[in-house]
Amino acid sequence: MISLALRFALLLPCALGFSRVPSAASTRTAFSGRSSSPLPAAPVEALSDIVIPSVGGEDEDPRVWVPQTECLSFRPLCLCTSQGYYVNLLKFIGGGTLGCHRHPSPVHAYTMKGGWGYKEHDWHAEAGTYVFEPPGETHTLVVDDDCDEMVALFHVTGSLIYVDPESGDVTGFDDVFTKLEKAKAWYKECGLGEDYVQQFLR
């Protein structure tokens, strides 16, 4: 015998107009993937994709590389001013260093060519090496002395704060906005035009 309470519980959804078991037709409609209108790839308000074919390829215009020092240049991939991060390739020619600096936010790196490491660590990165740098790291990037060319992708969130290795005093910084200004200035100077950088902005 089904109790009165159980009968009431079973009948209540029907009384309120709900179906306890979906019909075969409704199930087919829900899971068939068919719709009266095509599913958009992204909401209308979403930012557009960045797609850069042949990054670093032979047909790439060398002017896309922004000089930063005599031995160091960077190639922007994404300059995300809306979230405060940037993704770029760093290229060292003939060795070199990137001065002592601190990261208050995480950094991801992937080595594409050559070898490098941090003066403060005993690990060594070569082609194919992925590195995660946790927030709070202070280190000095050193490229191998016998390395003709080092190329690595860096995803940097927030600032890269240059510090004196002895005192820890702040001597400068880089972030997505300084990278943007350097790129704009170089693209204007080299003939690509200041607006060339707009394709990397999000």
Side-chain angles (χ1 to χ4, degrees), residues 3-187:
S3 68
L4 183 61
L6 180 57
R7 286 187 181 187
F8 180 76
L10 292 173
L11 293 174
L12 181 60
C14 295
L16 295 177
F18 301 128
S19 174
R20 287 179 285 110
V21 180
S23 67
S26 64
T27 302
R28 284 196 300 270
T29 302
F31 296 103
S32 66
R34 297 176 183 174
S35 166
S36 57
S37 60
L39 183 67
V44 175
E45 296 81 4
L47 296 173
S48 59
D49 300 338
I50 297 178
V51 180
I52 309 173
S54 302
V55 173
E58 295 182 358
D59 57 343
E60 183 177 68
D61 190 329
R63 294 177 297 172
V64 299
W65 289 87
V66 181
Q68 190 161 320
T69 68
E70 290 184 0
C71 63
L72 170 64
S73 58
F74 71 90
R75 197 255 195 257
L77 296 174
C78 177
L79 300 173
C80 189
T81 58
S82 61
Q83 296 188 42
Y85 72 81
Y86 60 92
V87 183
N88 66 182
L89 299 181
L90 285 189
K91 178 165 66 177
F92 282 85
I93 301 296
T97 64
L98 181 63
C100 186
H101 57 276
R102 179 182 300 126
H103 294 288
S105 300
V107 174
H108 302 268
Y110 178 75
T111 308
M112 302 172 67
K113 186 177 182 180
W116 61 282
Y118 287 126
K119 181 179 177 181
E120 297 78 9
H121 291 287
D122 57 6
W123 54 259
H124 179 262
E126 54 190 19
T129 302
Y130 164 77
V131 177
F132 167 71
E133 304 173 16
E137 275 271 318
T138 300
H139 44 227
T140 307
L141 193 156
V142 180
V143 177
D144 296 354
D145 291 334
D146 59 352
C147 182
D148 294 331
E149 182 178 84
M150 190 282 280
V151 180
L153 182 148
F154 284 87
H155 179 299
V156 181
T157 301
S159 299
L160 183 156
I161 304 170
Y162 297 103
V163 297
D164 184 287
E166 300 297 330
S167 66
D169 293 339
V170 175
T171 60
F173 72 94
D174 263 322
D175 60 16
V176 64
F177 299 101
T178 63
K179 287 281 187 175
L180 172 58
E181 291 306 313
K182 290 172 183 175
K184 285 168 63 177
W186 168 247
Y187 291 148

